[in-house]
mmCIF file of all heavy atoms in Angstrom:
data_model
loop_
_atom_site.group_PDB
_atom_site.id
_atom_site.type_symbol
_atom_site.label_atom_id
_atom_site.label_comp_id
_atom_site.label_asym_id
_atom_site.label_seq_id
_atom_site.Cartn_x
_atom_site.Cartn_y
_atom_site.Cartn_z
ATOM 1 N N VAL A 1 12.452 -3.295 -17.005
ATOM 2 C CA VAL A 1 11.304 -4.130 -17.427
ATOM 3 C C VAL A 1 10.034 -3.590 -16.780
ATOM 4 O O VAL A 1 9.879 -3.661 -15.567
ATOM 5 C CB VAL A 1 11.526 -5.615 -17.091
ATOM 6 C CG1 VAL A 1 10.282 -6.437 -17.454
ATOM 7 C CG2 VAL A 1 12.784 -6.152 -17.758
ATOM 8 N N ILE A 2 9.147 -3.069 -17.617
ATOM 9 C CA ILE A 2 7.903 -2.483 -17.119
ATOM 10 C C ILE A 2 6.776 -3.482 -17.297
ATOM 11 O O ILE A 2 6.429 -3.827 -18.434
ATOM 12 C CB ILE A 2 7.584 -1.170 -17.875
ATOM 13 C CG1 ILE A 2 8.733 -0.194 -17.696
ATOM 14 C CG2 ILE A 2 6.235 -0.590 -17.392
ATOM 15 C CD1 ILE A 2 8.641 1.019 -18.612
ATOM 16 N N PRO A 3 6.214 -3.983 -16.218
ATOM 17 C CA PRO A 3 5.131 -4.973 -16.322
ATOM 18 C C PRO A 3 3.827 -4.287 -16.728
ATOM 19 O O PRO A 3 3.660 -3.091 -16.495
ATOM 20 C CB PRO A 3 5.044 -5.561 -14.904
ATOM 21 C CG PRO A 3 5.489 -4.432 -14.038
ATOM 22 C CD PRO A 3 6.539 -3.695 -14.806
ATOM 23 N N PRO A 4 2.888 -5.028 -17.275
ATOM 24 C CA PRO A 4 1.558 -4.441 -17.558
ATOM 25 C C PRO A 4 0.930 -3.995 -16.215
ATOM 26 O O PRO A 4 1.005 -4.716 -15.204
ATOM 27 C CB PRO A 4 0.762 -5.607 -18.155
ATOM 28 C CG PRO A 4 1.790 -6.598 -18.596
ATOM 29 C CD PRO A 4 2.966 -6.415 -17.704
ATOM 30 N N GLN A 5 0.341 -2.829 -16.227
ATOM 31 C CA GLN A 5 -0.242 -2.297 -14.990
ATOM 32 C C GLN A 5 -1.292 -3.228 -14.392
ATOM 33 O O GLN A 5 -1.378 -3.367 -13.171
ATOM 34 C CB GLN A 5 -0.864 -0.945 -15.228
ATOM 35 C CG GLN A 5 0.128 0.177 -15.204
ATOM 36 C CD GLN A 5 -0.540 1.519 -14.996
ATOM 37 O OE1 GLN A 5 -1.618 1.755 -15.494
ATOM 38 N NE2 GLN A 5 0.123 2.374 -14.279
ATOM 39 N N LYS A 6 -2.068 -3.878 -15.234
ATOM 40 C CA LYS A 6 -3.103 -4.773 -14.736
ATOM 41 C C LYS A 6 -2.526 -5.979 -13.995
ATOM 42 O O LYS A 6 -3.208 -6.603 -13.194
ATOM 43 C CB LYS A 6 -3.998 -5.234 -15.873
ATOM 44 C CG LYS A 6 -4.875 -4.162 -16.429
ATOM 45 C CD LYS A 6 -5.755 -4.643 -17.531
ATOM 46 C CE LYS A 6 -6.632 -3.505 -18.036
ATOM 47 N NZ LYS A 6 -7.521 -3.920 -19.104
ATOM 48 N N SER A 7 -1.270 -6.299 -14.228
ATOM 49 C CA SER A 7 -0.652 -7.444 -13.552
ATOM 50 C C SER A 7 -0.080 -7.072 -12.185
ATOM 51 O O SER A 7 0.269 -7.964 -11.419
ATOM 52 C CB SER A 7 0.481 -8.045 -14.417
ATOM 53 O OG SER A 7 1.592 -7.170 -14.448
ATOM 54 N N MET A 8 -0.045 -5.787 -11.901
ATOM 55 C CA MET A 8 0.533 -5.364 -10.604
ATOM 56 C C MET A 8 -0.515 -5.417 -9.499
ATOM 57 O O MET A 8 -1.705 -5.204 -9.747
ATOM 58 C CB MET A 8 1.128 -3.958 -10.762
ATOM 59 C CG MET A 8 2.287 -3.906 -11.732
ATOM 60 S SD MET A 8 3.035 -2.282 -11.943
ATOM 61 C CE MET A 8 4.036 -2.220 -10.439
ATOM 62 N N GLU A 9 -0.070 -5.696 -8.297
ATOM 63 C CA GLU A 9 -0.923 -5.879 -7.137
ATOM 64 C C GLU A 9 -0.796 -4.713 -6.180
ATOM 65 O O GLU A 9 0.351 -4.284 -5.882
ATOM 66 C CB GLU A 9 -0.543 -7.177 -6.435
ATOM 67 C CG GLU A 9 -1.235 -7.454 -5.165
ATOM 68 C CD GLU A 9 -0.689 -8.714 -4.477
ATOM 69 O OE1 GLU A 9 -0.197 -9.607 -5.178
ATOM 70 O OE2 GLU A 9 -0.734 -8.751 -3.235
ATOM 71 N N ARG A 10 -1.904 -4.241 -5.658
ATOM 72 C CA ARG A 10 -1.875 -3.170 -4.644
ATOM 73 C C ARG A 10 -1.290 -3.747 -3.371
ATOM 74 O O ARG A 10 -1.784 -4.772 -2.871
ATOM 75 C CB ARG A 10 -3.258 -2.618 -4.389
ATOM 76 C CG ARG A 10 -3.276 -1.470 -3.408
ATOM 77 C CD ARG A 10 -4.724 -1.033 -3.065
ATOM 78 N NE ARG A 10 -4.753 -0.055 -2.043
ATOM 79 C CZ ARG A 10 -4.629 -0.286 -0.730
ATOM 80 N NH1 ARG A 10 -4.470 -1.527 -0.297
ATOM 81 N NH2 ARG A 10 -4.638 0.679 0.171
ATOM 82 N N ILE A 11 -0.242 -3.119 -2.826
ATOM 83 C CA ILE A 11 0.383 -3.611 -1.608
ATOM 84 C C ILE A 11 0.233 -2.688 -0.403
ATOM 85 O O ILE A 11 0.661 -2.991 0.695
ATOM 86 C CB ILE A 11 1.878 -3.942 -1.825
ATOM 87 C CG1 ILE A 11 2.668 -2.695 -2.217
ATOM 88 C CG2 ILE A 11 2.045 -5.077 -2.818
ATOM 89 C CD1 ILE A 11 4.174 -2.853 -2.167
ATOM 90 N N GLY A 12 -0.396 -1.555 -0.605
ATOM 91 C CA GLY A 12 -0.595 -0.587 0.487
ATOM 92 C C GLY A 12 -0.857 0.788 -0.037
ATOM 93 O O GLY A 12 -1.116 0.996 -1.237
ATOM 94 N N SER A 13 -0.777 1.773 0.864
ATOM 95 C CA SER A 13 -0.953 3.149 0.458
ATOM 96 C C SER A 13 -0.094 4.021 1.368
ATOM 97 O O SER A 13 0.315 3.611 2.438
ATOM 98 C CB SER A 13 -2.419 3.579 0.551
ATOM 99 O OG SER A 13 -2.872 3.467 1.874
ATOM 100 N N ILE A 14 0.181 5.218 0.871
ATOM 101 C CA ILE A 14 0.974 6.186 1.626
ATOM 102 C C ILE A 14 0.239 7.524 1.675
ATOM 103 O O ILE A 14 -0.646 7.779 0.873
ATOM 104 C CB ILE A 14 2.377 6.407 1.003
ATOM 105 C CG1 ILE A 14 2.261 6.987 -0.427
ATOM 106 C CG2 ILE A 14 3.187 5.150 1.059
ATOM 107 C CD1 ILE A 14 3.548 7.566 -0.957
ATOM 108 N N GLY A 15 0.615 8.350 2.628
ATOM 109 C CA GLY A 15 0.091 9.700 2.716
ATOM 110 C C GLY A 15 1.116 10.675 2.198
ATOM 111 O O GLY A 15 2.335 10.421 2.214
ATOM 112 N N VAL A 16 0.639 11.796 1.700
ATOM 113 C CA VAL A 16 1.496 12.862 1.195
ATOM 114 C C VAL A 16 1.084 14.182 1.797
ATOM 115 O O VAL A 16 -0.100 14.502 1.802
ATOM 116 C CB VAL A 16 1.439 12.935 -0.356
ATOM 117 C CG1 VAL A 16 2.168 14.145 -0.868
ATOM 118 C CG2 VAL A 16 1.985 11.662 -0.964
ATOM 119 N N ASP A 17 2.037 14.941 2.321
ATOM 120 C CA ASP A 17 1.740 16.213 2.962
ATOM 121 C C ASP A 17 2.615 17.339 2.397
ATOM 122 O O ASP A 17 2.322 18.492 2.591
ATOM 123 C CB ASP A 17 1.940 16.097 4.464
ATOM 124 C CG ASP A 17 1.374 17.280 5.221
ATOM 125 O OD1 ASP A 17 0.308 17.782 4.801
ATOM 126 O OD2 ASP A 17 1.965 17.692 6.211
ATOM 127 N N ALA A 18 3.706 16.989 1.685
ATOM 128 C CA ALA A 18 4.625 18.008 1.135
ATOM 129 C C ALA A 18 4.518 18.084 -0.380
ATOM 130 O O ALA A 18 5.335 18.747 -1.024
ATOM 131 C CB ALA A 18 6.061 17.725 1.560
ATOM 132 N N GLY A 19 3.551 17.385 -0.970
ATOM 133 C CA GLY A 19 3.382 17.389 -2.423
ATOM 134 C C GLY A 19 4.484 16.609 -3.133
ATOM 135 O O GLY A 19 4.710 16.767 -4.311
ATOM 136 N N LEU A 20 5.184 15.714 -2.386
ATOM 137 C CA LEU A 20 6.281 14.907 -2.937
ATOM 138 C C LEU A 20 6.147 13.476 -2.408
ATOM 139 O O LEU A 20 5.685 13.264 -1.286
ATOM 140 C CB LEU A 20 7.639 15.431 -2.496
ATOM 141 C CG LEU A 20 8.008 16.860 -2.814
ATOM 142 C CD1 LEU A 20 9.230 17.283 -2.024
ATOM 143 C CD2 LEU A 20 8.241 16.990 -4.312
ATOM 144 N N ALA A 21 6.611 12.495 -3.192
ATOM 145 C CA ALA A 21 6.647 11.124 -2.698
ATOM 146 C C ALA A 21 7.597 10.312 -3.572
ATOM 147 O O ALA A 21 7.877 10.690 -4.699
ATOM 148 C CB ALA A 21 5.264 10.492 -2.726
ATOM 149 N N GLY A 22 8.095 9.220 -2.989
ATOM 150 C CA GLY A 22 8.989 8.382 -3.789
ATOM 151 C C GLY A 22 9.561 7.185 -3.012
ATOM 152 O O GLY A 22 9.010 6.774 -1.986
ATOM 153 N N PHE A 23 10.682 6.727 -3.538
ATOM 154 C CA PHE A 23 11.336 5.505 -3.083
ATOM 155 C C PHE A 23 12.713 5.883 -2.522
ATOM 156 O O PHE A 23 13.522 6.462 -3.240
ATOM 157 C CB PHE A 23 11.472 4.524 -4.255
ATOM 158 C CG PHE A 23 10.176 4.277 -4.975
ATOM 159 C CD1 PHE A 23 9.836 5.007 -6.087
ATOM 160 C CD2 PHE A 23 9.287 3.350 -4.487
ATOM 161 C CE1 PHE A 23 8.658 4.805 -6.772
ATOM 162 C CE2 PHE A 23 8.059 3.127 -5.168
ATOM 163 C CZ PHE A 23 7.757 3.860 -6.285
ATOM 164 N N PHE A 24 12.964 5.534 -1.285
ATOM 165 C CA PHE A 24 14.157 6.015 -0.590
ATOM 166 C C PHE A 24 14.971 4.846 0.011
ATOM 167 O O PHE A 24 14.410 3.851 0.416
ATOM 168 C CB PHE A 24 13.768 6.963 0.547
ATOM 169 C CG PHE A 24 13.096 8.207 0.052
ATOM 170 C CD1 PHE A 24 11.744 8.260 -0.149
ATOM 171 C CD2 PHE A 24 13.866 9.344 -0.228
ATOM 172 C CE1 PHE A 24 11.111 9.392 -0.631
ATOM 173 C CE2 PHE A 24 13.263 10.494 -0.699
ATOM 174 C CZ PHE A 24 11.877 10.533 -0.906
ATOM 175 N N HIS A 25 16.299 5.069 0.070
ATOM 176 C CA HIS A 25 17.209 4.157 0.736
ATOM 177 C C HIS A 25 17.193 4.486 2.213
ATOM 178 O O HIS A 25 17.801 5.501 2.629
ATOM 179 C CB HIS A 25 18.640 4.323 0.259
ATOM 180 C CG HIS A 25 18.836 4.197 -1.222
ATOM 181 N ND1 HIS A 25 18.782 2.994 -1.867
ATOM 182 C CD2 HIS A 25 19.063 5.144 -2.171
ATOM 183 C CE1 HIS A 25 18.984 3.191 -3.159
ATOM 184 N NE2 HIS A 25 19.162 4.487 -3.372
ATOM 185 N N ASN A 26 16.500 3.746 3.051
ATOM 186 C CA ASN A 26 16.503 3.966 4.475
ATOM 187 C C ASN A 26 16.387 5.471 4.797
ATOM 188 O O ASN A 26 17.265 6.058 5.382
ATOM 189 C CB ASN A 26 17.776 3.385 5.101
ATOM 190 C CG ASN A 26 17.677 3.264 6.582
ATOM 191 O OD1 ASN A 26 16.584 3.207 7.155
ATOM 192 N ND2 ASN A 26 18.822 3.269 7.250
ATOM 193 N N LYS A 27 15.281 6.084 4.402
ATOM 194 C CA LYS A 27 15.102 7.530 4.507
ATOM 195 C C LYS A 27 15.281 8.006 5.946
ATOM 196 O O LYS A 27 14.620 7.531 6.850
ATOM 197 C CB LYS A 27 13.759 7.965 3.980
ATOM 198 C CG LYS A 27 13.678 9.477 3.787
ATOM 199 C CD LYS A 27 12.297 9.949 4.085
ATOM 200 C CE LYS A 27 12.105 11.122 4.917
ATOM 201 N NZ LYS A 27 12.609 11.457 6.130
ATOM 202 N N PRO A 28 16.215 8.927 6.144
ATOM 203 C CA PRO A 28 16.448 9.440 7.495
ATOM 204 C C PRO A 28 15.378 10.426 7.928
ATOM 205 O O PRO A 28 14.692 11.013 7.098
ATOM 206 C CB PRO A 28 17.811 10.142 7.385
ATOM 207 C CG PRO A 28 17.824 10.637 5.971
ATOM 208 C CD PRO A 28 17.098 9.566 5.170
ATOM 209 N N ASP A 29 15.252 10.626 9.243
ATOM 210 C CA ASP A 29 14.441 11.686 9.750
ATOM 211 C C ASP A 29 15.264 12.975 9.627
ATOM 212 O O ASP A 29 16.467 12.979 9.925
ATOM 213 C CB ASP A 29 14.108 11.458 11.245
ATOM 214 C CG ASP A 29 13.203 10.246 11.455
ATOM 215 O OD1 ASP A 29 12.650 9.724 10.459
ATOM 216 O OD2 ASP A 29 13.075 9.834 12.591
ATOM 217 N N PHE A 30 14.669 14.052 9.145
ATOM 218 C CA PHE A 30 15.370 15.293 8.916
ATOM 219 C C PHE A 30 15.227 16.255 10.092
ATOM 220 O O PHE A 30 14.133 16.360 10.672
ATOM 221 C CB PHE A 30 14.817 16.037 7.657
ATOM 222 C CG PHE A 30 15.078 15.340 6.355
ATOM 223 C CD1 PHE A 30 14.029 15.077 5.501
ATOM 224 C CD2 PHE A 30 16.357 14.950 5.988
ATOM 225 C CE1 PHE A 30 14.257 14.474 4.269
ATOM 226 C CE2 PHE A 30 16.597 14.329 4.766
ATOM 227 C CZ PHE A 30 15.547 14.110 3.906
#
């Protein structure tokens, strides 16, 4: 179920340094 973008709320921001980003299950330190 994809909500209308205008209905979504900004909850924060992230930084990117490797040109990649996403959603992880308890992302480990490598």
Side-chain angles (χ1 to χ4, degrees):
V1 177
I2 301 169
Q5 278 198 324
K6 290 181 180 180
S7 71
M8 297 180 78
E9 174 186 331
R10 183 186 174 281
I11 61 168
S13 63
I14 61 164
V16 172
D17 194 36
L20 302 167
F23 308 95
F24 296 87
H25 305 286
N26 195 24
K27 194 215 135 310
D29 294 348
F30 293 128

